[in-house]
Amino acid sequence: MTVELEGCVDNIIFRNEENGYTVFELATKKSEEVLTCVGSFSYISEGEYFKLECGETRHNVYGKQYKVLSATAIEPEDAASMERYLGSGAVKGIGKALAARIVKEFGDDTFRVIEEEPERLADIKGISERMARSISENFYDKREMRNAMMFLQKYGISSALSVKIYKQYGSGLYQVLRTNPYRMAEEIKGVGFKTADEIAQRGGIRIDSEYRTRAGILYVLSEAVGQGHTYLPLEILTDTAVKTLQVPAEDIEAPLEKLKIEKKIVFRESGEKKCCYLAPYYYMELSVARMLLDLDVKYTVPKKKTDDFFEKIEEELSVELDPIQKDAVRAAAENGVMVLTGGPGTGKTTTIKAIIRFFEAEGMDILLAAPTGRAAKRMNETTGREASTIHRMLQMKGMSEDEDGSVVKGGFEKNETNPLETDIVIIDEMSMVDISLMNALLKATAQGTRLIMVGDANQLPPVGPGNVLRDIIASSKFTTVCLTKIFRQAAMSDIVVNAHKINRGEEITLDNKSKDFFFMKRDTPNDISGVVVALVRDKLPSYVKATSMDIQILTPMRKGELGVERLNKVLQNFLNPADPKKREKTYGDVIFREGDKVMQVKNNYQLEWETRNSRGFVKASGSGIFNGDCGIIKKINTFSDEIEIVFDEDKTVMYPFSLLEDLELAYSVTVHKSQGSEYPAVILPLLNGPRQLFNRNLLYTAVTRAKKCVVIVGSKNAVTDMINNEMEQKRYSGLAENLVKML
């Protein structure tokens, strides 16, 4: 049974901006009752008038409610209703007192006067001519926005997305939706091809529309960038677009050519193969190749100078440098660009220390940086020198991202016109650096500056697009020193020994006679989950002298019974269970709770942070929280709609609820997301999974994240299969080829 209600939104009790779900009180026009209503609204604000069709329901706690089945916004018709609407704050510049004066002056004619004769508002005390125009404009904008939001609701568009669309197009959105809704996929961040395609189908746009095909091509290339590619071979692009769009291959040709003419995409010949790029990535690869080659100046350093230095530094550091480590120091001294690579325990840290001491003895300035806060902190601890993230070194200021995910030009203060003031730049964990960050780094590196890149080429490639470290090594254009000897102290660690065995494709011993590498056989996901909980909560903290929050569960997958999403819910229930004293915030199907371990999953260059001393005073501040940064939720404030999170490096951030889509629980993370981090203990639940994920490269990366202890829980067969599986997802990047082709 349904009832019709008409009245004013008196009070919004709850509002989810993502899906539009709203609980509000309606002051009815006839009975003057205040009724509780629930429903989904693309747009609603206090003071608005609605005609509602509702069904009566009864909530266990809140009693009688009205579930809104349909809603129509209506204009207030009498003076009292108009005063209530204007006094609600719905129109910027008008409060209750001013609303009363305006309605007293114009009565039932108030709205017409505001729209058609706004100059008459200036007759009222306290309203200037300028303010009168502003009130009229705000009144009109409010009405237009409400009408637009109601219109967009018919297309199934969420409230948050509706606001973005209206801000982008204003009253022009009707034309966009009726003719070419695919524009939104190119012009509005957050509107992907699939959303635009769904809107287009509801609007009756033909499946073979050229607008659709064009948007589909850009979507396929953008998805490829998200998977780490900088380009796609034309045949793969065409095949994928055909499958995505369900159109014949010949329908792809004309839109491709037009996108090329518009310089949205670029083709590059590679032998008999044609490669297709989103334009920004083509020019990034060219730029990176050119700048690297320009930096690679050769220097003459007398052998006696380095020999004397080695004698001195070995005494100072109480170590004997391996011949290859000495070669690395000489290479750093003699080359403008140099790569130092090697697995765990091969002496990279000692070599970096020696390189730093050599240049310091020459009176040169040195900057140390790494892609993540954790990696930078570790670099600082191992070298005894200040190190920062690459982003901080380049000094971010008001930076954002393009629709394709690349950093907007000019976002870093350090660039080609304002370069880094240093003689040497040393970058650690280079395997994590993608093409976009490398481009920004090189733009800020002046001619004559030496660039030393340190990393393990056998680690997983970066999360972002490109394969920078591997491509630089593969090009053979730059001096590369590969450390291979495992030093005695490192050889005592089964983590190091087994990592190298895995990398060579050799079987590892899982007999639990080790002090730092363990295996626990379990055959079902539930059994594995139970062991993981017991390890992280009860067993490992005292063993590695760390907290449960410091121990990291790594898994190859996001989905599935042993994927990140399920494990995080299980671990949250045991490690940080619900408690009346702990506030919570639900977003989608995730509950964020005070005390939770969380991870940022998207670069945000605007988020401001502070670090505080023991007395609570701010000692440093800045902006930027990045993909992979982890933290702990300290407070949830439902009044200010913010979460206080302390991220790595003690960065305190007031995190708005509106950005919760960029935050995840982090008790368990994928191996990819763990790159650049090091943990006291790592737990790997391994049972079975897709071959493209369960490979040698991923297992090697996971094991090398552990500092004191690795525990594998699951199947020995899964471990053996991963070691034997050399298959890696092909990553299409052209940096190596560009380096080889350039003179």
Side-chain angles (χ1 to χ4, degrees):
M1 184 177 176
T2 61
V3 295
E4 288 190 355
L5 301 175
E6 186 176 322
C8 171
V9 178
D10 189 58
N11 176 36
I12 294 178
I13 300 170
F14 172 79
R15 169 85 171 155
N16 184 327
E17 291 297 342
E18 190 62 28
N19 58 25
Y21 179 77
T22 309
V23 181
F24 64 96
E25 292 178 335
L26 184 81
T28 59
K29 194 171 183 180
K30 292 181 180 178
S31 63
E32 296 186 357
E33 286 183 283
V34 176
L35 306 176
T36 302
C37 300
V38 297
S40 291
F41 289 77
S42 59
Y43 177 79
I44 190 171
S45 67
E46 292 176 3
E48 293 277 323
Y49 277 77
F50 283 93
K51 185 178 287 185
L52 307 173
E53 184 180 345
C54 304
E56 289 189 29
T57 63
R58 180 163 291 278
H59 192 278
N60 291 337
V61 177
Y62 302 111
K64 187 176 180 181
Q65 294 182 340
Y66 291 86
K67 185 177 182 181
V68 179
L69 305 175
S70 67
T72 304
I74 56 176
E75 292 284 1
E77 295 175 349
D78 57 77
S81 298
M82 291 179 183
E83 180 179 339
R84 189 169 192 168
Y85 172 75
L86 294 175
S88 70
V91 179
K92 188 177 178 181
I94 302 179
K96 286 185 178 180
L98 188 54
R101 294 206 301 273
I102 292 172
V103 174
K104 184 178 180 181
E105 179 71 22
F106 301 115
D108 293 349
D109 205 26
T110 296
F111 279 12
R112 188 197 65 78
V113 170
I114 293 175
E115 277 195 278
E116 299 175 12
E117 301 178 86
E119 66 278 1
R120 291 179 61 190
L121 293 173
D123 295 338
I124 297 172
K125 185 179 179 181
I127 301 180
S128 65
E129 288 185 10
R130 183 178 177 182
M131 185 178 177
R133 287 193 300 272
S134 176
I135 289 171
S136 181
E137 288 169 5
N138 288 329
F139 182 83
Y140 176 80
D141 287 345
K142 186 78 173 180
R143 176 182 286 178
E144 280 295 296
M145 185 173 184
R146 183 190 65 199
N147 292 339
M149 301 285 268
M150 300 293 282
F151 175 79
L152 290 169
Q153 189 176 31
K154 297 174 185 175
Y155 288 86
I157 300 172
S158 72
S159 304
L161 201 50
S162 294
V163 172
K164 286 185 179 181
I165 294 170
Y166 182 76
K167 285 182 178 178
Q168 177 73 21
Y169 301 117
S171 58
L173 69 88
Y174 306 102
Q175 180 70 10
V176 171
L177 263 66
R178 291 188 180 110
T179 58
N180 179 18
Y182 296 99
R183 277 181 59 187
M184 295 188 296
E186 293 183 45
E187 298 170 354
I188 302 177
K189 197 168 187 177
V191 180
F193 169 76
K194 290 184 177 180
T195 301
D197 199 34
E198 188 178 332
I199 293 168
Q201 287 178 29
R202 292 189 183 195
I205 303 293
R206 288 168 56 90
I207 194 171
D208 60 354
S209 161
E210 190 171 311
Y211 292 135
R212 181 173 185 268
T213 308
R214 167 200 172 97
I217 291 167
L218 294 175
Y219 166 72
V220 170
L221 286 171
S222 295
E223 286 290 291
V225 166
Q227 294 164 9
H229 308 296
T230 56
Y231 73 84
L232 283 180
L234 180 57
E235 60 184 59
I236 292 179
L237 169 60
T238 302
D239 289 346
T240 309
V242 165
K243 289 175 185 174
T244 302
L245 297 166
Q246 297 294 299
V247 297
E250 52 266 27
D251 286 6
I252 305 294
E253 295 173 8
L256 268 174
E257 193 59 33
K258 286 187 178 179
L259 286 167
K260 179 184 173 184
I261 292 169
E262 293 173 18
K263 298 184 179 180
K264 295 273 188 180
I265 63 173
V266 178
F267 289 112
R268 176 175 67 84
E269 301 291 337
S270 177
E272 297 181 0
K273 181 176 67 175
K274 185 175 277 190
C275 309
C276 186
Y277 288 78
L278 285 173
Y281 294 97
Y282 172 77
Y283 294 110
M284 272 187 222
E285 281 193 348
L286 284 181
S287 173
V288 167
R290 182 73 272 160
M291 290 187 289
L292 276 171
L293 291 168
D294 288 345
L295 280 176
D296 195 25
V297 178
K298 302 302 178 185
Y299 301 89
T300 301
V301 180
K303 186 174 183 298
K304 186 176 186 311
K305 175 181 277 193
T306 53
D307 287 345
D308 290 346
F309 168 75
F310 294 140
E311 187 176 329
K312 180 181 177 182
I313 198 66
E314 286 179 334
E315 182 180 344
E316 187 179 328
L317 297 179
S318 299
V319 297
E320 183 178 343
L321 294 176
D322 179 80
I324 301 180
Q325 290 178 305
K326 292 179 180 179
D327 289 343
V329 177
R330 290 192 186 97
E334 294 172 355
N335 295 277
V337 175
M338 175 256 189
V339 177
L340 175 65
T341 185
T346 57
K348 289 197 299 293
T349 298
T350 300
T351 307
I352 294 170
K353 283 183 181 178
I355 290 171
I356 291 170
R357 300 291 177 89
F358 178 84
F359 287 123
E360 285 179 339
E362 295 293 299
M364 294 184 176
D365 292 326
I366 306 168
L367 288 177
L368 307 181
T372 67
R374 287 195 173 200
K377 187 176 182 181
R378 193 166 71 248
M379 196 179 190
N380 169 264
E381 291 168 350
T382 56
T383 64
R385 302 294 188 278
E386 183 181 351
S388 70
T389 62
I390 299 173
H391 294 85
R392 192 190 296 181
M393 181 178 73
L394 297 180
Q395 296 179 18
M396 297 167 305
K397 184 177 181 181
M399 190 154 56
S400 60
E401 289 184 352
D402 276 332
E403 301 304 323
D404 55 28
S406 59
V407 175
V408 172
K409 186 178 180 181
F412 291 109
E413 285 200 356
K414 292 297 181 181
N415 50 43
E416 55 268 56
T417 60
N418 180 29
L420 295 165
E421 297 176 5
T422 188
D423 300 301
I424 319 290
V425 175
I426 302 177
I427 305 295
D428 198 8
E429 294 287 356
M430 264 300 299
S431 62
M432 295 183 64
V433 176
D434 63 23
I435 195 70
S436 176
L437 186 56
M438 189 66 179
N439 189 47
L441 171 65
L442 291 174
K443 282 184 176 181
T445 306
Q447 287 294 302
T449 304
R450 286 178 173 86
L451 175 63
I452 298 165
M453 296 171 281
V454 184
D456 186 346
N458 293 307
Q459 298 279 1
L460 289 169
V463 175
N467 215 353
V468 175
L469 180 61
R470 290 191 190 182
D471 280 356
I472 289 172
I473 294 171
S475 74
S476 300
K477 284 286 186 177
F478 308 98
T479 299
T480 300
V481 178
C482 182
L483 303 175
T484 56
K485 177 183 175 182
I486 303 177
F487 286 86
R488 186 175 64 184
Q489 187 173 354
M492 296 171 66
S493 165
D494 284 318
I495 295 174
V496 172
V497 172
N498 285 338
H500 284 275
K501 283 184 176 181
I502 291 166
N503 195 38
R504 294 193 296 265
E506 299 173 6
E507 188 176 346
I508 60 175
T509 303
L510 298 174
D511 59 7
N512 288 335
K513 293 180 180 179
S514 169
K515 292 182 179 179
D516 61 5
F517 205 102
F518 303 96
F519 173 76
M520 303 183 73
K521 183 179 182 298
R522 295 295 185 275
D523 299 319
T524 69
N526 284 341
D527 286 346
I528 292 172
S529 299
V531 170
V532 167
V533 169
L535 285 169
V536 73
R537 184 184 61 183
D538 307 321
K539 307 293 185 183
L540 286 179
S542 59
Y543 188 75
V544 296
K545 294 180 174 56
T547 69
S548 294
M549 293 298 181
D550 294 325
I551 296 165
Q552 190 62 58
I553 295 89
L554 302 181
T555 177
M557 306 171 295
R558 288 194 57 80
K559 305 290 184 181
E561 293 184 280
L562 293 176
V564 163
E565 293 175 6
R566 181 177 180 273
L567 283 174
N568 270 324
K569 289 181 179 179
V570 171
L571 289 159
Q572 183 190 45
N573 286 337
F574 284 97
L575 299 180
N576 189 33
D579 186 318
K581 296 178 182 177
K582 294 180 180 179
R583 283 165 287 194
E584 298 179 351
K585 171 64 182 174
T586 300
Y587 184 85
D589 61 349
V590 178
I591 297 172
F592 293 103
R593 184 176 295 137
E594 290 177 345
D596 273 336
K597 183 178 180 180
V598 292
M599 173 183 280
Q600 176 77 7
V601 295
K602 186 178 180 183
N603 289 342
N604 187 313
Y605 303 97
Q606 278 79 39
L607 268 177
E608 296 181 353
W609 53 263
E610 297 176 340
T611 58
R612 299 170 184 158
N613 61 22
S614 57
R615 298 173 63 189
F617 294 111
V618 175
K619 62 179 182 179
S621 63
S623 63
I625 298 296
F626 303 106
N627 189 353
D629 286 353
C630 286
I632 302 294
I633 294 177
K634 294 299 182 183
K635 292 179 184 176
I636 295 177
N637 190 328
T638 54
F639 293 102
S640 63
D641 287 349
E642 289 180 316
I643 298 178
E644 182 181 332
I645 304 175
V646 178
F647 282 96
D648 297 335
E649 300 179 292
D650 296 324
K651 294 178 181 177
T652 298
V653 175
M654 300 309 297
Y655 203 98
F657 287 175
S658 60
L659 294 179
L660 285 177
E661 63 181 348
D662 299 340
L663 204 65
E664 291 182 354
L665 295 176
Y667 300 100
S668 173
V669 302
T670 63
V671 179
H672 278 86
K673 289 288 188 184
S674 73
Q675 287 173 265
S677 296
E678 190 176 65
Y679 311 100
V682 163
I683 303 171
L684 301 174
L686 299 174
L687 193 58
N688 51 53
R691 276 183 60 78
Q692 64 265 32
L693 283 179
F694 276 61
N695 58 38
R696 181 187 300 175
N697 187 220
L698 185 136
L699 182 60
Y700 172 78
T701 301
V703 166
T704 55
R705 298 306 89 208
K707 191 174 182 180
K708 296 180 180 179
C709 180
V710 170
V711 184
I712 298 175
V713 185
S715 162
K716 281 188 179 180
N717 288 339
V719 177
T720 301
D721 289 345
M722 289 180 80
I723 293 172
N724 293 332
N725 179 16
E726 293 185 79
M727 182 180 76
E728 291 183 51
Q729 182 184 11
K730 169 70 177 173
R731 183 169 281 215
Y732 295 107
S733 61
L735 178 59
E737 192 169 341
N738 281 321
L739 284 166
V740 171
K741 285 183 176 179
M742 284 186 179
L743 297 177

